[in-house]
Amino acid sequence: MRRTLVSFLVVVAVLGFAVVGYGQEEKVVLKYMTWVNALGAEWIQEDFIEPFQELYPHIEIQHEYVPFAEYWRKLMTTYAAGNPPDLMHMSVGYVYDYADRGILLNLEPYFTRDLSLEEYYAQPMKAVRYPNMETGDLYAMPYAFVMSVLHYNKDMFDAAGVDYPTDDWTWDDLLAAAKALTKDFDGDGKIDQWGFFFQPNYYTLDAAIYSFGGRVLSEDLSTAIFDSPEAEAAVQFLVDLMWEHKVSPSPQVYHGIGNLFEIGNAAMVIGNMADLDVYRNIDSFDWDVAMVPGGPATKVVRMWPDSIAIASSSKHPEEAWEYVKFMINSGKIDRYSGQRKMPIYRGLAESDEWMEYDKVPDKSVYIRAMEYGHPLDFRPNWGEWSAAREAQLEPAFLGQMPVQEAIRNAVEAVQEVLDDN
Amino acid sequence: MLRKRFKSTIGIYGYLVPTIIGLILFNAGAIVASFVLSFYKYDVITPAKWIGLDNYRWVLNSKLFWTAVNNTFKFAAGYIPLSVFLALGLAILVNERIKGVGLFRTIFYLPVVTSMVGVSMVFAWLFNPYYGLVNYVLGLFKITGPAWLSSPQWAMPAVILVSVWKTVGYYMVIYLAALQNISPELYEAAQIDGANRWAQIRHITIPVVSSTTFFVVIMCTMSSLKIFEQVYVMTQGGPANSTVTVNLLIYRNAFEYLRMGRATSMAYFLFAAIMIVTCIQFLGQRWWVHYE
C-alpha cells in the first residue's frame, strides 16, 4: 500500500515538472468550442486543427464540441464560470447580441491589417458587422455561408412541358409555373403533385417582404414595420399560393412530413443551399438549382454565414486570429462545411475544384446570385422576435385569419420584444 | 443498548450523506440561487444587475405567459383524469389470470421506456391530416378528422393523447401492485352477497386503491404542470402558441433569449402553483382517500 502511494507521488511529481517544462517553451493553448457532432468534430480535427498545429507547433488547440441544441447553453455556462473559450463558432442569430454585451473581440483591426475585403464575399459578412450591418466592424469572421435558393424537379418540369426557372424569374412566373405543375393525377380531389413547396420561415418570408419593397425592421432596428402595404402584399401573395391558387401545400398538409420536394411530391421548393447534402442522395428524379424569384420591387437572395469569433477576454488573440485566418483559407475544400456551404474566400468558391465538386447542380448560379445577396435582419434578440412573429402569422398560413389581422398581431408582438431590453 | 442504537443511527446517516450532499449542492443550491437571480436582470454571459421585482411584474403583464399558464392547465385537465382512468382500467384488465397476460403488460409498458423524441416524431407523422394514419382510419368511419398538430384547437388534445399513451403504462404498473395487495377474501365476501363485477370494482377495488390513486394524481399533476419535452419536440409551442407551456417558456427565456432572470421568476411562479395545488390535494385527501 505504502509503496504504491510513493510511486504515485513520484509519477505526480514527474508530470508536474513536465507541465512546468512546457510552460517554459511558451506553449499557447487555445480553447475552441464548436457545435458539431462526432463526425463533424473529426473533420474539423483533421482538416483544420491538425494541419494548423503542424504549421504552428507552439499552439495547441483544445477542441470541445457540443450538439447545436446544447451549444448556447454550454457556451453561456463557460462565461458564467469565468472560463470562456478563446475561439467559438458563432451563429448569425446571436452575433449581434453577443457583440452588444462586449464579449466578442472586434476583428476589424486584424482583418484590415492582414486581409483584403475584395478577396472575400462582402455580402454575407454584413451579418457579423456591429452595430450597423453596412458600416459596423466585424465581430466574428464568417468561414462559409449559405443562401436561399429554388430547387426544382426537372422530371416534373419536362413532363408538364414547363420551361426551367431562369435568373430573371419573378414571383408571378413562379406562380404560373406552379399552376401548370400542380396535379391531381387520379382525380380523387386530393392533390398528388404540388407545384411549389415552401415553409413561411425566416428566409422565404423575409426575402419575399423585401422583394415586394417592404422591410421587416426599420433601419435603426428599433421598430417593426412589416405592416406596410408592400410587406402585406408579400405575405398575402404567399398565403394565396396555399389557399387561393392551391399550388402550395398548407401547413396542415406538410406538418410532420417535412420536405415534400425531397420525397418527390412537389416540383419546386425554396430552401437553403445546405440542402445539397440531402438532395445529393436523391436518385429517383433529376433536379437542379435556380435563383429565388424576384418581386415587384427587387430581387433579394437571403444569405447568411457560419462564423468563428474570438472572445474579448482571450489572452492570446493573435494566435486565435491565426487560426481564424487558417480556417477561412486553408487552401482546400474542407469536409466540414466546404461541401455543402459556400466558402467565404472567393478564390476557393470560384475555383474549378469547388464548382466541380459535385456534379449535380450548376453552381454558377450561386455566383450570379451574389449581387442580390443580403443577410437581412438577424438582430437584435432575433430568436425571440422571430419566434413571436412566426406564432402570430401562423393562423394566416393555416387559412384561419385574414392576413392583415395576423400581421397586426405579429407587428405588435415583435415590437414588444424590441422594446424590451 | 443505547450506544448500539446511536451507532446504527450514525450508520444510517452515513448512508444518507452522499445523497444529502448532492441535494444540497445541486438542488438546494440551485433553488436558492435561482430565487436570488429572479430579482436580477441576468443573461448569464455578463454580470447580473439588480432590478427588484421587475421580472415578476413583466411576467404578470405578459400575454404570452398567461397563454402558457392557460395551456399548461388545459394539458393538466385532460392528462390527469385520462391517465388515472386508463391506468386503473388497464391494471384491472392485466390483473386477470389469462393466457399471455405478461405479454400485454409488456406491451402497455413499452411506451414508457421509448424515447420521447422518437415517439413525438412518429406521432407527428401519424397525426398529419393529409397523409397520416389517424385521419385515414377516421375516414374509414366517414369521419373527417381535424388537422391535429397543425390546428390551434386540436394540437393540445393531440399532445395530451400522446402523453397519456406514453406514460399510462407506468401508472398501470403502480396500480397493478396495489391491486395484487387486495385480499381475495373481500371479493369472495362480496360475491356471496351477490355483488356483480361492476359493483365489486366500485365498492371494493376503487376505495381500496384510493391511496394509490392519490399518489398517481399527485404524480400526474406535478408532471403535467412541468410538461416540456412533448411540446418541445412535437409542436415547438405551435401552432400559433397553442401549445406553449410554462416550462417551454422558461427554457426559451433562460437558454435561447438570454433572459435567465426572467426565466427564474417564471420558475418561481410555476413552483408556487405546484405547491398550492399539491397542498390542496393533501388537504382534500381525507374526504376520499382510505388507508388500510
Side-chain angles (χ1 to χ4, degrees):
Chain A
M1 187 63 205
R2 183 161 292 168
R3 190 182 283 171
T4 37
L5 186 67
V6 168
S7 50
F8 174 70
L9 286 176
V10 168
V11 169
V12 168
V14 169
L15 279 176
F17 280 118
V19 172
V20 172
Y22 262 105
Q24 282 161 350
E25 281 173 36
E26 285 182 49
K27 180 128 192 155
V28 172
V29 175
L30 296 176
K31 285 176 58 183
Y32 177 34
M33 249 178 90
T34 67
W35 58 61
V36 296
N37 58 20
L39 185 62
E42 204 181 296
W43 289 340
I44 286 181
Q45 185 67 29
E46 290 172 7
D47 291 1
F48 293 130
I49 297 176
E50 279 168 16
F52 175 79
Q53 288 182 152
E54 263 169 49
L55 275 176
Y56 300 91
H58 67 293
I59 303 176
E60 186 195 331
I61 292 187
Q62 289 176 352
H63 181 203
E64 183 181 359
Y65 60 95
V66 237
F68 188 82
E70 289 157 39
Y71 179 76
W72 304 100
R73 231 186 317 170
K74 180 88 191 183
L75 188 59
M76 283 158 75
T77 320
T78 65
Y79 271 98
N83 191 21
D86 300 275
L87 288 157
M88 64 196 115
H89 282 195
M90 190 38 67
S91 144
V92 278
Y94 279 110
V95 68
Y96 179 94
D97 298 322
Y98 274 51
D100 199 39
R101 285 163 172 82
I103 60 174
L104 301 182
L105 185 68
N106 182 352
L107 300 181
E108 194 70 26
Y110 297 86
F111 187 87
T112 43
R113 187 191 67 195
D114 294 354
L115 306 168
S116 69
L117 192 57
E118 303 85 69
E119 292 182 7
Y120 298 86
Y121 289 114
Q123 296 89 327
M125 283 168 70
K126 291 176 181 176
V128 296
R129 293 191 180 276
Y130 171 86
N132 186 291
M133 258 185 281
E134 309 296 331
T135 57
D137 288 351
L138 294 169
Y139 276 79
M141 185 62 213
Y143 51 84
F145 64 101
V146 294
M147 65 178 79
S148 56
V149 287
L150 182 73
H151 287 108
Y152 61 98
N153 183 318
K154 285 168 102 171
D155 294 356
M156 288 181 184
F157 271 73
D158 293 343
V162 179
D163 289 336
Y164 297 150
T166 54
D167 287 2
D168 56 6
W169 251 32
T170 63
W171 278 105
D172 287 328
D173 295 322
L174 179 137
L175 172 60
K179 279 180 177 166
L181 288 158
T182 301
K183 306 273 187 198
D184 173 12
F185 292 119
D186 52 11
D188 66 350
K190 266 190 157 189
I191 290 165
D192 303 305
Q193 174 184 309
W194 298 92
F196 172 52
F197 170 60
F198 74 100
Q199 289 175 290
N201 56 19
Y202 59 93
Y203 50 86
T204 310
L205 187 64
D206 294 35
I209 288 174
Y210 275 82
S211 72
F212 275 70
R215 284 185 67 91
V216 178
L217 303 185
S218 61
E219 262 176 75
D220 64 358
L221 305 172
S222 68
T223 320
I225 55 166
F226 56 96
D227 51 357
S228 66
E230 294 84 8
E232 193 190 313
V235 179
Q236 187 70 55
F237 183 89
L238 293 178
V239 169
D240 285 350
L241 289 173
M242 292 175 177
W243 295 99
E244 171 72 24
H245 309 297
K246 297 189 166 53
V247 295
S248 295
S250 68
Q252 285 95 329
V253 177
Y254 63 74
H255 189 104
I257 305 286
N259 189 339
L260 296 185
F261 177 81
E262 186 193 332
I263 57 176
N265 276 14
M268 293 180 277
V269 64
I270 286 190
N272 94 49
M273 62 177 276
D275 295 335
L276 276 178
D277 248 10
V278 180
Y279 296 169
R280 201 177 271 139
N281 302 322
I282 295 177
D283 43 22
S284 53
F285 61 84
D286 233 7
W287 57 276
D288 210 336
V289 59
M291 246 184 256
V292 294
T298 178
K299 187 201 274 285
V300 177
V301 178
R302 191 166 202 177
M303 36 187 70
W304 62 103
D306 281 345
S307 313
I308 177 167
I310 301 175
S312 53
S313 60
S314 172
K315 289 192 184 71
H316 310 288
E318 283 296 343
E319 286 82 358
W321 172 246
E322 283 307 325
Y323 179 77
V324 172
K325 277 197 292 182
F326 182 82
M327 192 182 180
I328 61 175
N329 185 11
S330 65
K332 62 174 184 1
I333 299 173
D334 67 277
R335 284 168 297 168
Y336 168 54
S337 64
Q339 302 172 10
R340 62 206 172 96
K341 298 184 177 180
M342 195 146 165
I344 198 78
Y345 178 58
R346 295 179 63 159
L348 188 58
E350 289 164 25
S351 69
D352 288 346
E353 195 195 355
W354 193 77
M355 298 296 280
E356 299 294 322
Y357 190 84
D358 66 82
K359 293 281 189 277
V360 185
D362 168 18
K363 283 183 171 177
S364 65
V365 67
Y366 301 139
I367 314 279
R368 295 199 303 278
M370 290 311 302
E371 68 170 296
Y372 308 104
H374 200 280
L376 307 181
D377 332 82
F378 279 111
R379 52 182 65 187
N381 291 336
W382 177 71
E384 190 174 3
W385 71 249
S386 68
R389 181 182 66 171
E390 224 165 271
Q392 298 300 336
L393 288 183
E394 212 159 3
F397 287 100
L398 288 164
Q400 296 178 346
M401 190 188 278
V403 166
Q404 203 171 14
E405 192 184 342
I407 289 184
R408 202 168 346 118
N409 298 341
V411 164
E412 193 187 313
V414 171
Q415 193 60 47
E416 217 170 281
V417 177
L418 295 176
D419 289 343
D420 178 20
N421 261 313
Chain B
M1 186 63 193
L2 207 66
R3 234 177 100 176
K4 208 171 173 186
R5 187 129 152 234
F6 178 72
K7 246 184 168 169
S8 71
T9 317
I10 290 272
I12 289 166
Y13 280 115
Y15 286 119
L16 286 176
V17 160
T19 310
I20 288 174
I21 288 179
L23 276 174
I24 289 173
L25 275 181
F26 297 111
N27 286 29
I31 289 167
V32 173
S34 61
F35 183 67
V36 172
L37 281 176
S38 70
F39 300 101
Y40 283 84
K41 183 185 165 91
Y42 184 44
D43 59 16
V44 185
I45 49 183
T46 51
K49 202 177 116 215
W50 173 267
I51 51 166
L53 289 170
D54 274 9
N55 285 328
Y56 290 95
R57 220 170 283 140
W58 184 92
V59 169
L60 288 174
N61 288 323
S62 159
K63 260 193 249 165
L64 189 56
F65 177 74
W66 288 107
T67 306
V69 169
N70 189 16
N71 290 339
T72 307
F73 278 99
K74 247 194 242 169
F75 177 83
Y79 174 79
I80 301 168
L82 268 180
S83 294
V84 172
F85 281 117
L86 279 177
L88 181 57
L90 286 177
I92 290 172
L93 289 179
V94 299
N95 195 30
E96 294 293 318
R97 282 201 197 81
I98 48 167
K99 236 186 206 167
V101 73
L103 182 69
F104 285 113
R105 287 176 188 171
T106 313
I107 289 173
F108 293 134
Y109 192 76
L110 213 54
V112 178
V113 290
T114 313
S115 124
M116 191 65 221
V117 177
V119 166
S120 300
M121 286 174 77
V122 171
F123 270 96
W125 255 100
L126 293 176
F127 277 128
N128 178 288
Y130 208 77
Y131 302 97
L133 200 61
V134 173
N135 278 7
Y136 174 77
V137 172
L138 288 175
L140 296 181
F141 297 98
K142 301 276 178 255
I143 300 168
T144 313
W148 296 112
L149 294 170
S150 43
S151 148
Q153 294 77 35
W154 284 93
M156 188 52 94
V159 170
I160 292 170
L161 286 179
V162 176
S163 306
V164 170
W165 177 84
K166 171 89 171 70
T167 53
V168 75
Y170 172 73
Y171 299 115
M172 176 196 79
V173 169
I174 293 173
Y175 267 124
L176 193 58
L179 291 179
Q180 296 190 336
N181 274 335
I182 300 177
S183 141
E185 290 146 32
L186 289 174
Y187 291 109
E188 276 164 27
Q191 243 164 355
I192 292 165
D193 290 344
N196 61 17
R197 193 64 218 274
W198 171 241
Q200 289 176 23
I201 289 176
R202 224 189 111 200
H203 297 289
I204 300 172
T205 314
I206 292 177
V208 173
V209 300
S210 63
S211 60
T212 306
T213 304
F214 179 66
F215 172 76
V216 170
V217 168
I218 297 255
M219 295 300 287
C220 281
T221 308
M222 289 190 189
S223 69
S224 58
L225 293 182
K226 291 192 298 183
I227 174 190
F228 171 73
E229 230 181 342
Q230 296 93 311
V231 289
Y232 183 69
V233 184
M234 220 170 358
T235 63
Q236 295 91 46
N241 287 336
S242 60
T243 55
V244 167
T245 62
V246 176
N247 231 354
L248 183 67
L249 214 52
I250 292 173
Y251 176 85
R252 285 188 175 163
N253 274 280
F255 302 114
E256 289 177 6
Y257 303 161
L258 302 171
R259 298 192 195 277
M260 183 60 87
R262 193 173 285 172
T264 53
S265 68
M266 286 185 212
Y268 267 87
F269 274 110
L270 182 63
F271 171 72
I274 293 177
M275 202 61 176
I276 291 168
V277 171
T278 310
C279 282
I280 292 172
Q281 287 171 334
F282 262 94
L283 291 175
Q285 64 169 321
R286 63 183 167 122
W287 281 285
W288 63 278
V289 180
H290 308 274
Y291 292 98
E292 278 175 79

